[in-house]
Amino acid sequence: MGKLEGKIAVVTGGAKGIGAAVVKRFFEDGAAHIISLDIDRERAEATAKEIDPSGKIVAGMKCDVGSEAATAEVLGRVYDEYGRVDILVNDAGITRDAMFHKMKRDQWDSVLNVNLNSLYNTCRVVVPRMREQYYGKIVNVCSSSAWGNVGQTNYSASKGAVLGFTRSLAKESGGKNITVNCVAPAQIDTNMARAMPENIAAMAVKLTPLGRKGQPAEVASVISFLSSDDSSYVTGECIQVGGGFLMV
Ligand SMILES: NC(=O)c1ccc[n+]([C@@H]2O[C@H](COP(=O)([O-])OP(=O)(O)OC[C@H]3O[C@@H](n4cnc5c(N)ncnc54)[C@H](O)[C@@H]3O)[C@@H](O)[C@H]2O)c1
């Protein structure tokens, strides 16, 4: 019996990278249904089909989690079809890097909107229902950059806020049997990390005790732990998944 047997999970940013690895891992863990929400509809549907050719367990749906109205509408359809959400993984995220003295307003706004406001947009719908059902596992994807990184004031601000949001929501929700945790990846081999200049990426790997980049599946396994009842007494935590890059 898989450790997510019978569970219904929503994963944002599930079309590729870490989110796609989470969808795959939840499928392997035996979840009853996994709904992968992504702004890239085609890729979300293709990834879902690749993981679950039967189409009975994994569904890819288009959703811009930066839009409150779109997210409420899509999650409304999820509740109509599946009745409940046991697990919510807020993975969707973007970077728009620039030194702060050159940063444009839209680089700031877009990163804060997708990386932070999306948590309001998903949780505002899901949390009241999790409170009613007296069960929920929420995992947010933070970043080692929350502790500071050159060229990422916007991204660091959004991820630092993800950490604060996680802790406060955990304090509010514990009494309703809901856990809220986050993971902080660093140097994971995805499109996002590949966008980094090569010399900077190589330097970061040199500063990583495990001496290599991480794979999306190595983040997904930690998210799976935090989404399962194996972590039933863990809440408000942030687990670094960066090969030791950052120890806090
Ligand atoms: N890769 C890393 O090294 C690393 C390190 C730390 C944190 N992270 C975080 O991990 C998460 C996943 O990143 P990744 O590396 O897999 O990136 P990625 O670019 O490979 O995947 C991100 C996914 O989010 C989707 N997305 C973007 N904007 C969206 C929106 N408005 N609505 C819905 N979906 C949207 C994209 O289409 C994509 O499928 C992000 O939150 C990122 O900040 C990644």
Side-chain angles (χ1 to χ4, degrees):
M1 177 167 153
K3 66 179 174 176
L4 299 184
E5 200 92 357
K7 297 292 192 283
I8 297 175
V10 168
V11 180
T12 75
K16 60 174 187 281
I18 295 168
V22 171
V23 173
K24 183 164 184 279
R25 178 64 195 243
F26 283 6
F27 181 72
E28 290 162 0
D29 285 336
H33 292 287
I34 305 137
I35 303 97
S36 161
L37 306 183
D38 204 286
I39 197 162
D40 182 346
R41 176 204 303 270
E42 267 179 34
R43 187 83 183 255
E45 289 177 353
T47 301
K49 193 92 193 147
E50 208 174 289
I51 295 169
D52 171 28
S54 82
K56 288 185 187 145
I57 294 171
V58 182
M61 290 168 82
K62 182 184 166 73
C63 180
D64 174 1
V65 293
S67 158
E68 184 179 358
T71 306
E73 189 271 321
V74 173
L75 286 174
R77 279 193 276 136
V78 168
Y79 277 103
D80 285 347
E81 190 161 345
Y82 301 97
R84 58 188 281 133
V85 172
D86 301 297
I87 300 165
L88 169 65
V89 179
N90 286 304
D91 165 82
I94 58 169
T95 51
R96 295 288 183 270
D97 295 354
M99 295 296 280
F100 184 69
H101 59 279
K102 293 182 182 164
M103 188 171 288
K104 301 275 193 299
R105 181 74 207 198
D106 77 295
Q107 291 175 297
W108 177 266
D109 285 341
S110 56
V111 168
L112 267 292
N113 191 50
V114 176
N115 297 5
L116 177 61
N117 292 346
S118 62
L119 270 62
Y120 177 88
N121 299 337
T122 56
C123 290
R124 191 63 189 81
V125 176
V126 170
V127 168
R129 306 236 192 181
M130 284 184 166
R131 292 176 69 90
E132 270 170 30
Q133 74 196 21
Y134 198 73
Y135 185 88
K137 309 288 282 181
I138 298 174
V139 184
N140 301 319
V141 180
C142 180
S143 168
S144 58
S145 297
W147 283 264
N149 198 16
V150 172
Q152 292 200 315
T153 49
N154 51 355
Y155 185 76
S156 302
S158 72
K159 294 299 187 178
V162 166
L163 180 60
F165 175 88
T166 299
R167 291 175 168 179
S168 293
L169 189 60
K171 288 196 174 196
E172 288 185 8
S173 310
K176 294 288 183 185
N177 195 31
I178 300 165
T179 66
V180 190
N181 292 289
C182 60
V183 293
Q187 332 311 336
I188 307 302
D189 194 15
T190 67
N191 280 2
M192 181 182 278
R194 281 177 223 129
M196 198 188 274
E198 255 176 50
N199 58 329
I200 309 245
M203 198 166 72
V205 168
K206 264 197 191 146
L207 294 171
T208 301
L210 288 180
R212 62 173 176 86
K213 284 184 182 173
Q215 291 305 312
E218 294 177 292
V219 184
S221 58
V222 180
I223 292 177
S224 164
F225 164 68
L226 292 172
S227 301
S228 79
D229 293 328
D230 282 352
S231 60
S232 49
Y233 203 54
V234 179
T235 197
E237 282 297 330
C238 182
I239 301 184
Q240 302 292 326
V241 191
F245 178 75
L246 188 76
M247 298 182 191
V248 294

